[in-house]
Amino acid sequence: MMSPNDQRELIQLADLNLAAMIRHRMKMAPNGLLQEQDGVLLFTIGCPAANGHLNGVLRVNDETDAVKILDRARRFFQPLKRDFMVWVRDERDDDLEQALRDAGFTVDREPGIPCMALQRRLDQVSPSADIELRSVVSAEDVADYAQVMVAAFGMTNEVARAVFGETESLVAPQVAAFIVHHNNVPVAAAMTLIAAKVAGIYFVGTVPEARGRGLGEPATRAATNAGFDLGAGAAILQASVAGEPLYRRMGYQLLTRYRWYRSTMH
């Protein structure tokens, strides 16, 4: 059980890691656009995607006025005619959450997306003979990773090209990524990005036909441990409904929650 002081510090570092991941993703996207000013990140991957990681608004300064954030968000996204999500950080964005509700934004998931943390390495599981865990080291590997995400999340090929079109999206000094192959077919993947002294675990997914067999766990464990190998003091991730029980079993603990508030621009 982490102490309150550890929890507060990790929450701050998790926010910083999330912001770093957004910056990395927008830099890698051919048509990505990032505007960072007055404590707010406004960003688009360059194509429609109802996902707060790809088209959204993140407050990075607690003092930034909530109403001004919404005004800037509208001015940023309206010319693009693109839907977007506004991130709300639990217990830190109460004023922003109220402003969003007053403005008619709708919450995407309640009570929110669990942000979970781990402060130790994990034992690496030994896969069966037909399972192989591979590091992402080439453009071909990045393409395989992208196709796992397309199948796992229903991601369009346009979005996949925007997110993973550059090899450096997954092959970079601060990034490590892994793919699980079953009978030489890519079926699961996970990545980590090191920033703000923590390893952020992102884009963890398993193709539908391979779910329920624990095939995503070796990739998640490898991404977690790679983060510690690269100097992180803790690992953090944002859990899906399906993934949360697995992460708890692995040792991740609830740290805080994020919520997405959805706006439509048409």
Side-chain angles (χ1 to χ4, degrees):
M1 190 75 177
M2 68 184 75
S3 71
N5 285 339
D6 285 346
Q7 185 173 14
R8 282 191 292 270
E9 181 182 8
L10 268 178
I11 288 171
Q12 292 175 341
L13 296 178
D15 290 347
L16 291 172
N17 187 279
L18 172 60
M21 183 60 184
I22 289 168
R23 294 185 190 102
H24 174 73
R25 196 177 293 120
M26 297 308 124
K27 182 180 178 181
M28 292 296 105
N31 297 312
L33 181 61
L34 172 69
Q35 185 181 106
E36 184 169 0
Q37 186 178 359
D38 300 328
V40 182
L41 295 184
L42 302 159
F43 54 92
T44 175
I45 200 70
C47 57
N51 185 308
H53 289 280
L54 307 181
N55 289 299
V57 180
L58 176 68
R59 180 195 240 172
V60 292
N61 185 332
D62 296 346
E63 303 303 317
T64 304
D65 181 76
V67 174
K68 289 182 179 179
I69 291 173
L70 298 193
D71 179 61
R72 287 188 56 200
R74 292 187 183 100
R75 286 188 280 115
F76 180 84
F77 283 101
Q78 203 150 31
L80 302 172
K81 296 181 172 61
R82 189 161 298 153
D83 299 348
F84 63 95
M85 300 283 192
V86 180
W87 289 78
V88 166
R89 304 166 302 160
D90 209 12
E91 298 181 358
R92 290 155 289 155
D93 285 329
D94 291 348
D95 60 330
L96 178 57
E97 187 158 38
Q98 188 60 56
L100 288 162
R101 289 175 175 171
D102 291 345
F105 285 64
T106 56
V107 66
D108 195 61
R109 176 178 165 189
E110 288 188 300
I113 303 163
C115 178
M116 308 181 77
L118 182 75
Q119 294 177 285
R120 59 173 176 81
R121 288 178 59 86
L122 294 169
D123 294 333
Q124 191 63 47
V125 296
S126 298
S128 58
D130 56 349
I131 301 298
E132 182 183 3
L133 177 68
R134 302 180 190 174
S135 297
V136 173
V137 296
S138 67
E140 182 180 355
D141 294 333
V142 174
D144 285 344
Y145 195 110
Q147 287 310 301
V148 171
M149 295 300 107
V150 167
F153 297 112
M155 187 182 286
T156 67
N157 287 320
E158 181 184 21
V159 171
R161 285 192 298 270
V163 178
F164 302 110
E166 298 292 332
T167 303
E168 291 80 7
S169 63
L170 295 177
V171 182
Q174 78 280 22
V175 176
F178 301 87
I179 304 174
V180 173
H181 290 249
H182 177 238
N183 292 327
N184 290 316
V185 176
V187 294
M191 66 165 291
T192 186
L193 177 134
I194 310 303
K197 303 178 184 177
V198 297
I201 312 301
Y202 297 97
F203 285 119
V204 180
T206 302
V207 301
E209 60 270 24
R211 289 174 185 160
R213 291 185 277 162
L215 297 179
E217 186 171 349
T220 305
R221 287 178 177 269
T224 298
N225 289 340
F228 287 107
D229 292 342
L230 289 168
I236 58 100
L237 55 77
Q238 294 150 29
S240 65
V241 173
E244 185 176 0
L246 167 65
Y247 302 135
R248 287 187 183 278
R249 181 170 60 78
M250 291 168 62
Y252 278 88
Q253 300 176 41
L254 179 65
L255 182 64
T256 185
R257 291 184 186 273
Y258 298 109
R259 283 179 289 285
W260 290 350
Y261 276 79
R262 180 190 300 263
S263 175
T264 56
M265 298 304 295
H266 54 267

